[in-house]
Amino acid sequence: AVYADEILIGNLAGLSDVEQTVISERFALHVLPTDPVNGPKTLEQVGLIIGVTKERVRQIQNNALKKMRLALEERYLAA
């Protein structure tokens, strides 16, 4: 089985650096579960990190999630 973190870590969905940052920061994929201080960030917080508006972060996030979903579907159906 292929999981979302494998798609992100291996960049199997062909995400840009900005898309990877948005997904990682929004869903706190780089954080250990024992570190709640550095948990998921809001659209606005991620926007400050990458220098765009929260609306643009939402657009980037949605595009990246679509790419990840397609990559998961391709690998799931191929298995």
Side-chain angles (χ1 to χ4, degrees):
V2 177
Y3 298 99
D5 60 341
E6 293 172 1
I7 295 286
L8 189 65
I9 292 168
N11 198 19
L12 302 177
L15 301 181
S16 70
D17 289 344
V18 171
E19 289 170 330
Q20 288 182 26
T21 299
V22 167
I23 296 299
S24 181
E25 294 293 339
R26 281 286 288 149
F27 300 104
L29 299 180
H30 61 287
V31 177
L32 296 173
T34 56
D35 185 12
V37 173
N38 292 313
K41 293 181 174 53
T42 65
L43 293 171
E44 190 169 2
Q45 289 170 323
V46 176
L48 291 172
I49 292 170
I50 63 173
V52 298
T53 65
K54 63 183 180 181
E55 175 59 22
R56 183 65 185 129
V57 173
R58 186 190 63 75
Q59 293 169 353
I60 294 167
Q61 173 186 293
N62 289 346
N63 190 47
L65 290 174
K66 181 179 178 181
K67 286 182 180 180
M68 292 175 69
R69 184 172 45 253
L70 290 172
L72 280 169
E73 287 172 358
E74 288 174 6
R75 280 161 178 68
Y76 179 74
L77 295 175

